[in-house]
Amino acid sequence: MELRFTDEERAFRQEVRAWIDENLPAETRERMASGRTPTKAMQIDWQKRLYAKGWAVPHWPVEWGGQKWSAIQRFILSEEMQSTPAPSPLGFNANMLGPVMIAFGTEEQKKHFLPKIASLDLWFCQGFSEPGAGSDLASLKTRAVREGDHYIVNGQKTWTTLAQHADWIFLLVRTDPGAAKQQEGISFLIADMKTPGITVRPIITIDGAHEVNEVFLDDVKVPVENLIGTENRGWDCAKFLLSNERTGQARVGASKERIRRLKLIAKEAPGGARPVMEDPRFRSRLTEVEVQLKALEMTTLRVLADENRQLSQRKPNPASSVLKIRGTELQQAISELYVMAAGPYGLVASDPEADRWNEPEVAQDWQTLAQATYFNWRKQSIYGGSTEIQKNIMAKAFLGL
Amino acid sequence: MDFDLSEDQRLLQDSLAKLLKDKYAFEQRKGYMASETGWSRDVWAAYADLGLLAMPFAEDDGGLGYGAVETMIVAEQFGRALALEPFIPTVVIGGAFLRHGATAEQRAALVPQIAEGKLLLAFAHTETQSRFDLNDVATTAKKDGAGWVIEGRKGVVVHGDTADQIIVTARVSGGRRDRDGIEVFLIPADTQGVTRRGFKTSDGQRAADITFDNVKVSADAKLNGGLALAERVVDEAIAALGAEAIGCMEASKDLTIEYLKTRKQFGRPIGSFQSLQHRAAEMMVCLEQARSMAMLAAMMASEEDPAERRRQMRAVKIEIGRNARFVGQQTVQMHGGIAMTMEYVGGHYLKRLTVIENMFGDVDHHLAALSEEGGVFVAA
Ligand SMILES: Cc1cc2nc3c(=O)[nH]c(=O)nc-3n(C[C@H](O)[C@H](O)[C@H](O)COP(=O)(O)OP(=O)(O)OC[C@H]3O[C@@H](n4cnc5c(N)ncnc54)[C@H](O)[C@@H]3O)c2cc1C
């Protein structure tokens, strides 16, 4: 056991940091630092820069654009990006579809798609959830019927994040409704969003943002070569993907950045008699979160070190549930600290779709975003396997209950 | 002690509940919210017809002479419906300022207008530096012949964009945070030098940022009572907001329980999962504890000893705030994605409860002050 970063790792961190500093466009950094998500153009631009450098998908095999890095190096890169803050490579591409295709795809699929997935030439969205199939994903009803060299897909997906930006979608569809077990009749397809019969309808979340959508599929013709893995074995891909999704959600680096920024803000934030940062109650609530975040950072490193093994064995890693549960709780707790810091001026609504506050200035930008972010981040414990579902998994897989 | 409502009180509750059922379906509410005022003048007129806008005023002034229990009943119904009208700013807060701080002539002139739904008030106390401290006042009032000149800026004036008159705290002497030297002024919103910038609040309601630039008002614009008056009024506001929160929490809990019974995953209602059952039960614990505090608030609203009243009201604000946060968050959590959307009412309870939590002091603000003041049960 060696619990400290080595000199090489420290040097690597310096190299990464310097490169990000040099290459991240100022307006992207500024927007990220304000607490907003990147625009589509910013996301694509940044991912292309990473791709050119070879850093977009370091966790992939070298032949597909990955790096022979240790888990710690990968952690350092993603932490540095999050704490700059810079956009992270699009999760749907880099952490979900990419690894699935590497594990389950054909050579042709890999050759054709992987470079585009890594570089974000094609933006993918995730069409798993349906109105009736959320936590119980395996009950999904979207139907795909094979007709010659196509599948004809009919059904509805929902909560599809950033479908409005997406070029392609990866879908779970039911190909064998008669299978003995629900999980056995599902297939994993990818489809061009321009295919006739695909309609996207926005869903506005409680903070006013347009981030999720309904996707309607009406006699959509998907070529059979867009099947990933074996027909009716799509659930294997889904399980594999979901376990990767959960590891990504701890976002320790991002939480550290939000805390550092909050400290700067709170130092200036009016608190009546003294700045908010000097309020002992605020400080101790903040410190409590920091302590938990430190623990989560160590847990993340432990899980990551384990992940090399997991990937090669193509098995989901149940330990990632710990990261998902605590990581999202902490992100939510941090958002509540921002609300506290903003106080009465937190009542001023923001337009999260706008680049910045575009009405006469009645509050500071961060104050107007505090409650919106708090509302938005309630999603964290719902998506990607809700906290309740994570605990069910843990009780079963770890505790034998 | 009797926790049951009287016949008349029950009648009041029922008639308002019926009105809101007709006028405040979630779809109707969306329409009001999207309108320019952000609430409904028609519904406001219906409140006037029901007598709600006359409730707290003495009969001699043209009111109904009701007390804090009636205010609680009404505010709770508004919470259930997520009503958007400026009842608390105009009737509860504005009303309390007039009751405790205005002259008989002022009351005679203004109360009937409020009762008829023709006069709207708003309370301007927050400043960029003040956070939740009512005594932190940089806005100034200087003697100007017989009258006054007001100078300064107030933020997040709830419903300040539609108010006809603004009630403003201003400093006539002393340093920015001194408790002495603060007076309260009643200023017509169309007075020369008053500039308002309206905006949406995070719960979809409206507020305004208001600047007072060389605003000249007459001598009788000053109400009697200064900071002590403002604190007394805020205590009544805390009681009413607490009751509104109870209505919100109750509706939120009911909605969630209904959803747990009807939403199916894994082939059965999600309410059959014990982890959710326990959480729903905890919601009920929270609601009942909070409800008790709303009743305590109604009881203490008329307490004449300001120190005692303050302490109890802080306890009310803390306990309702804590429990409201749990109920709001769990409403969204137990619904899953659906309550994350604008189109569904569930998330709107969380939003309103968050705003209420951050009005007139959040949990930590009152915790700090209450512990400073010796807590709830003061040792001899
Ligand atoms: C902002 C946002 C973005 C999303 N993005 C995407 C996306 O891009 N692609 C995609 O496919 N999906 C996406 N989702 C969907 C997300 O994965 C689902 O919301 C999630 O799976 C929960 O499903 P549900 O919303 O239907 O809630 P339900 O499954 O109906 O759950 C409701 C409640 O019941 C609980 N519950 C359910 N089953 C159990 C059980 N067995 N034991 C205890 N409690 C239980 C849940 O934890 C939850 O609290 C997104 C969701 C949100 C909110």
Side-chain angles (χ1 to χ4, degrees), chain B residues 321-341:
Chain B
R322 269 176 3 98
N323 287 306
R325 197 186 294 195
F326 181 84
V327 170
Q329 290 181 351
Q330 288 308 322
T331 294
V332 175
Q333 182 65 27
M334 293 205 281
H335 272 86
I338 186 75
M340 281 299 300
T341 68

Side-chain angles (χ1 to χ4, degrees), chain B residues 240-284:
Chain B
L241 280 171
E244 187 189 338
I246 302 309
C248 249
M249 289 164 76
E250 181 160 57
S252 202
K253 181 214 74 178
D254 290 351
L255 183 82
T256 306
I257 303 304
E258 191 51 38
Y259 195 75
L260 292 179
K261 287 178 183 164
T262 47
R263 169 69 171 174
K264 284 198 174 134
Q265 288 288 275
F266 305 99
R268 48 191 181 129
I270 55 174
S272 65
F273 300 122
Q274 207 162 51
S275 59
L276 300 190
Q277 290 172 356
H278 284 192
R279 204 102 44 82
E282 184 64 30
M283 267 179 143
M284 203 165 164

Side-chain angles (χ1 to χ4, degrees), chain A residues 233-362:
Chain A
R233 302 290 306 171
W235 193 248
D236 295 343
C237 304
K239 273 196 308 189
F240 173 77
L241 179 151
L242 289 173
S243 93
N244 291 336
E245 179 182 359
R246 279 155 204 161
T247 323
Q249 276 164 346
R251 294 190 58 81
V252 172
S255 288
K256 280 158 83 174
E257 188 275 329
R258 296 315 294 163
I259 282 180
R260 292 202 175 99
R261 186 171 155 79
L262 178 59
K263 285 181 174 175
L264 295 177
I265 283 172
K267 245 173 42 191
E268 307 288 324
R274 56 193 169 199
V276 169
M277 196 58 204
E278 283 168 35
D279 174 354
R281 263 179 192 71
F282 182 81
R283 287 174 82 104
S284 71
R285 285 193 198 273
L286 176 61
T287 309
E288 230 176 281
V289 171
E290 289 183 69
V291 170
Q292 293 184 60
L293 192 61
K294 189 69 205 173
L296 190 69
E297 185 180 13
M298 289 302 287
T299 310
T300 304
L301 289 166
R302 286 171 54 209
V303 172
L304 265 177
D306 205 43
E307 220 169 54
N308 287 325
R309 211 173 357 190
Q310 294 293 336
L311 198 68
S312 59
Q313 291 175 359
R314 285 225 234 138
K315 272 199 194 123
N317 178 358
S320 60
S321 289
V322 177
L323 300 182
K324 170 66 168 62
I325 292 170
R326 198 55 100 224
T328 56
E329 268 174 17
L330 290 176
Q331 290 181 73
Q332 291 175 335
I334 293 167
S335 76
E336 290 179 51
L337 290 170
Y338 273 83
V339 172
M340 278 182 218
Y345 281 86
L347 265 62
V348 181
S350 72
D351 177 357
E353 293 298 303
D355 268 352
R356 55 168 43 80
W357 185 245
N358 55 5
E359 283 189 42
E361 204 172 292
V362 294

Side-chain angles (χ1 to χ4, degrees), chain A residues 184-200:
Chain A
E184 283 164 9
I186 293 171
S187 300
F188 192 110
L189 300 179
I190 57 177
D192 189 331
M193 289 294 278
K194 288 192 293 293
T195 319
I198 297 185
T199 318
V200 176

Side-chain angles (χ1 to χ4, degrees), chain B residues 288-363:
Chain B
E288 292 311 321
Q289 287 286 85
R291 193 197 305 280
S292 298
M293 292 310 254
M295 290 180 177
L296 174 68
M299 190 173 99
M300 294 305 297
S302 53
E303 168 64 46
E304 292 292 337
D305 174 359
E308 176 65 10
R309 194 188 64 229
R310 273 269 82 177
R311 275 207 307 277
Q312 302 288 342
M313 287 301 180
R314 291 195 198 286
V316 166
K317 193 75 172 57
I318 292 163
E319 184 64 2
I320 292 181
R322 269 176 3 98
N323 287 306
R325 197 186 294 195
F326 181 84
V327 170
Q329 290 181 351
Q330 288 308 322
T331 294
V332 175
Q333 182 65 27
M334 293 205 281
H335 272 86
I338 186 75
M340 281 299 300
T341 68
M342 278 290 193
E343 286 165 60
Y344 186 77
V345 64
H348 293 266
Y349 295 119
L350 168 69
K351 297 201 320 168
R352 180 62 189 154
L353 289 169
T354 304
V355 162
I356 291 176
E357 196 190 325
N358 284 285
M359 285 171 75
F360 300 114
D362 63 4
V363 170

